[in-house]
Amino acid sequence: LKLTHSTLEKGHNMKPHPAWSSLRTPVKFRIPTADNLVPIRLDIDIDGQRFRDTFTWNPSDPDSDVILFAKRTVKDLKLPPAFVTQIAQSIQSQLTEFRSFEGQDMYTGEKIVPIKLDLRVNHTLIKDQFLWDLNNFESDPEEFARIFCEDLGVEDPEVGPAIAFAIREQLCEIAIQSVASARETRINKKGRRGVEHLPLSKPGGSALDTLKLFGNKSSVIRKRREWDLYEPIVDLLSNEEVDALEAREA
């Protein structure tokens, strides 16, 4: 089964935010999605017991919610009490880093960026690569993930959220990189005539090369002639394969 270009466009054919229409016009830092959520990743090990989780957090929520969430998580999962402080501190540090960029100028650089999926969720292995339009301020990673799983017949309900999180995490990294690009631009303006924009460092090679291949039409872009290069891969792993992978990841 393959995702079709028309199906992808149907899920992401939304009007771009006008502030992102010019590469020369800075905008204030935020994630280029409909909702400005912070991707949070937890990986905590206490006395040989490990807790890992990923989720999103609204940076506008009060900090008091963090400790309440940590206490509820520890209670629900029956984790040792020591995890409360570690979970809360990890969430708070990631929120603090994200908030440190708020209010700062950012440039989108090239408007189309490659997004890569390479993840395992339980017995399902997902690999894919596609281009994402940063001009679309109404893009919805969860909707894309829902269409992806529906079209590829993915039945595990945990796969969709994992795909959406992977997209959000990469978009967040790109947004942070673009703040550094805006800073460098201001430095260049002081000593040189005109404005220079540094390319964003992104996985998968030059965005200029991918622009030549795919053009600039929608939030998620594929071309039929490129299916051999960018075909989604979904594999179901056996129990033995999962055990082997988890042993390597431990």
Side-chain angles (χ1 to χ4, degrees):
L1 293 174
K2 298 178 181 178
L3 287 172
T4 65
H5 181 70
S6 59
T7 301
L8 289 167
E9 284 193 335
K10 181 175 66 175
H12 294 270
N13 187 17
M14 303 175 184
K15 294 180 180 180
H17 192 284
W20 288 61
S21 60
S22 172
L23 296 180
R24 295 182 177 276
T25 303
V27 295
K28 296 304 180 183
F29 172 80
R30 64 157 291 157
I31 308 300
T33 54
D35 42 14
N36 188 40
L37 301 177
V38 185
I40 300 291
R41 181 179 291 275
L42 300 180
D43 190 347
I44 300 169
D45 191 323
I46 299 179
D47 296 332
Q49 187 167 357
R50 190 175 186 182
F51 171 66
R52 291 187 289 183
D53 197 9
T54 57
F55 48 88
T56 57
W57 196 278
N58 188 334
S60 300
D61 286 349
D63 288 345
S64 58
D65 286 357
V66 173
I67 188 67
L68 293 176
F69 173 84
K71 289 179 178 178
R72 186 171 66 250
T73 299
V74 168
K75 180 181 179 181
D76 292 347
L77 299 180
K78 296 180 172 57
L79 296 170
F83 274 89
V84 173
T85 301
Q86 294 297 315
I87 290 173
Q89 287 180 349
S90 181
I91 295 173
Q92 194 64 62
S93 65
Q94 293 176 69
L95 289 174
T96 299
E97 180 184 10
F98 180 89
R99 289 168 178 162
S100 70
F101 295 101
E102 290 182 331
Q104 298 191 47
D105 288 343
M106 59 184 283
Y107 288 107
T108 61
E110 298 90 4
K111 293 184 292 184
I112 306 295
V113 296
I115 298 292
K116 281 189 173 183
L117 299 179
D118 189 355
L119 62 155
R120 179 183 64 84
V121 183
N122 301 322
H123 285 69
T124 305
L125 189 68
I126 303 288
K127 291 188 178 183
D128 196 13
Q129 179 172 311
F130 45 85
L131 301 177
W132 197 275
D133 185 359
L134 292 184
N135 278 308
N136 191 343
F137 244 98
E138 299 178 23
S139 66
D140 187 343
E142 282 73 23
E143 176 67 6
F144 170 81
R146 184 190 67 77
I147 294 173
F148 184 102
C149 292
E150 182 180 286
D151 283 11
L152 292 175
V154 176
E155 298 180 355
D156 188 334
E158 295 183 24
V159 173
I163 291 174
F165 182 87
I167 294 172
R168 287 186 177 277
E169 196 169 45
Q170 292 176 65
L171 291 177
C172 183
E173 292 172 358
I174 292 167
I176 290 173
Q177 291 165 5
S178 69
V179 171
S181 176
R183 288 175 184 164
E184 188 68 23
T185 296
R186 288 196 296 272
I187 295 172
N188 287 335
K189 286 180 70 175
K190 291 179 181 179
R192 303 176 188 177
R193 186 176 181 180
V195 180
E196 295 184 7
H197 298 270
L198 298 183
L200 305 179
S201 59
K202 300 178 289 295
S206 169
L208 292 177
D209 292 338
T210 51
L211 270 174
K212 292 175 183 177
L213 281 174
F214 291 86
N216 178 11
K217 295 181 180 179
S218 63
S219 287
V220 178
I221 300 170
R222 302 178 192 268
K223 277 195 174 179
R224 295 182 184 281
R225 65 186 178 85
E226 299 299 334
W227 274 117
D228 290 340
L229 291 176
Y230 301 107
E231 180 178 356
I233 297 174
V234 177
D235 284 335
L236 288 179
L237 305 178
S238 65
N239 291 331
E240 292 76 14
E241 290 171 322
V242 170
D243 290 343
L245 284 173
E246 289 181 345
R248 290 202 296 267
E249 294 170 358

